[in-house]
Amino acid sequence: MYALTLPQLLEQVKRPGAAVAFNFISLDDMLGIVKAAEVESVPVIIQVTQAALAHVGIDYMAAVGMAAARRARVPVCLHLDHATDFALIMQGIKLGFSSVMIDASALAYEENVKATRRVVDVAHSVGVSVEAELGRIGGREDNAMGDGPDWLTDPDQAEQFIAETGVDALAPSVGTAHGIYTGTPAVRFDLIRAIAVRVDKPLVLHGGSDLPDEVVREAIRSGIRKFNVGTDLRIAHARSLKKMFDSVGDVSASHALAARQTGIEAVCEEARKKIRMCRV
Ligand code: G3H
Ligand code: ZN
């Protein structure tokens, strides 16, 4: 199968309900994520950030993503996540990403509109979908740091942003943050609902790791259609390898091979938990 755009994939997800978008940084992540989606029999969004691409290059990651889309027994959307670099987005589109995120949320509103519109014009001309961010999502994701009430998305401005840019999906700032939470996250369900009534495009919840199940479900019931998870997969993978190497107390070629399988299984288990968590 070929990679679907975000709207095409979400057509297959009932409302209220969300597709999970998993961030990958390696082939083993990809294998674990695809296995989880196949076992749970759900369409899946597989995405990679600009920062993760910087480690190995976009060619390798796009090739892994395209192979996954071809081989998976479930529908796959291959998405470029939190990209700020226009040239990189163009390269991603050429290499087969079926969906891209332009993250110009650090810029002033008018500049965000301009940068987003520029990507939409090209992406839509070749059948690729576009997600954009309005307001600023806190925590650590690429270069974005910080949080605060002034970063939250204004529903009226969200409606205007959709009309001015033509994006296919919107990532609003509604109280979540990237990475592990330092306190209890105050997710603004009221704000999600207020944006959802004004915006007729799918809403994306970023910073999906480390959130209680009930919070995620309520966010989905409030209007979230794409739920992004990265950090929890990284932690599950790293912990599984530590546990395995601690228990064998030595390393060899066969341990190294076994460790890869251990990591794939850990990612798969964690991804399955997230998929089940999103069933509302
Ligand atoms: O764009 C990616 C996500 O928002 C992932 O956030 O690492 O906190 O799960 P997370
Ligand atoms: Zn994010």
Side-chain angles (χ1 to χ4, degrees):
M1 211 191 261
Y2 56 90
L4 300 181
T5 64
L6 193 50
Q8 286 168 343
L9 185 122
L10 288 176
E11 267 172 27
Q12 305 187 36
V13 179
K14 66 166 182 53
R15 289 168 188 271
V20 190
F22 294 106
N23 284 78
F24 78 101
I25 62 167
S26 71
L27 172 61
D28 292 351
D29 282 342
M30 182 61 90
L31 294 170
I33 293 164
V34 169
K35 186 173 174 187
E38 288 180 340
V39 174
E40 297 294 333
S41 198
V42 290
V44 67
I45 300 154
I46 305 177
Q47 57 188 21
V48 58
T49 63
Q50 182 174 306
L53 288 175
H55 285 280
V56 291
I58 192 168
D59 316 56
Y60 278 115
M61 296 304 241
V64 167
M66 294 293 282
R70 265 197 315 276
R71 292 277 300 270
R73 295 192 301 269
V74 291
V76 169
C77 168
L78 180 61
H79 181 77
L80 178 56
D81 190 30
H82 284 291
T84 56
D85 179 349
F86 182 79
L88 184 83
I89 294 173
M90 294 302 111
Q91 207 185 348
I93 290 174
K94 280 188 195 137
L95 288 170
F97 281 84
S98 53
S99 186
V100 295
M101 176 182 186
I102 163 72
D103 182 354
S105 60
L107 306 178
Y109 177 80
E110 290 74 19
E111 294 304 308
N112 187 351
V113 168
K114 208 165 137 193
T116 302
R117 184 75 243 174
R118 187 176 176 215
V119 171
V120 167
D121 285 344
V122 182
H124 283 183
S125 73
V126 290
V128 168
S129 53
V130 181
E131 173 185 334
E133 181 171 323
L134 181 67
R136 301 222 36 206
I137 297 160
R140 177 183 290 279
E141 182 72 53
D142 293 357
N143 299 318
M145 291 292 293
D147 53 30
D150 51 330
W151 284 31
L152 294 174
T153 302
D154 173 68
D156 292 331
Q157 196 175 54
E159 185 177 11
Q160 189 187 341
F161 186 78
I162 296 290
E164 288 180 344
T165 59
V167 283
D168 304 285
L170 181 71
S173 176
V174 291
T176 57
H178 293 109
I180 295 300
Y181 290 90
T182 45
T184 311
V187 179
R188 292 280 306 275
F189 307 115
D190 61 321
L191 190 52
I192 297 173
R193 286 191 289 269
I195 297 168
V197 295
R198 285 174 180 75
V199 165
D200 62 350
K201 297 290 177 186
L203 299 182
V204 183
L205 192 70
H206 281 248
S209 293
D210 196 29
L211 286 176
D213 292 22
E214 201 33 55
V215 168
V216 173
R217 292 199 184 105
E218 187 56 28
I220 293 170
R221 285 191 287 261
S222 301
I224 291 299
R225 294 281 287 155
K226 173 176 180 262
F227 174 67
N228 282 12
V229 178
T231 302
D232 278 346
L233 295 188
R234 305 291 87 75
I235 292 174
H237 184 267
R239 278 200 184 130
S240 74
L241 263 58
K242 181 173 186 319
K243 192 170 161 204
M244 185 206 139
F245 282 113
D246 283 352
S247 73
V248 296
D250 194 8
V251 287
S252 68
S254 62
H255 289 142
L257 261 182
R260 291 201 57 194
Q261 198 51 42
T262 299
I264 292 168
E265 291 305 327
V267 169
C268 176
E269 275 317 300
E270 188 63 26
R272 288 187 66 189
K273 273 189 219 162
K274 301 299 182 193
I275 291 167
R276 292 194 293 256
M277 178 198 275
C278 286
R279 288 197 172 116
V280 294

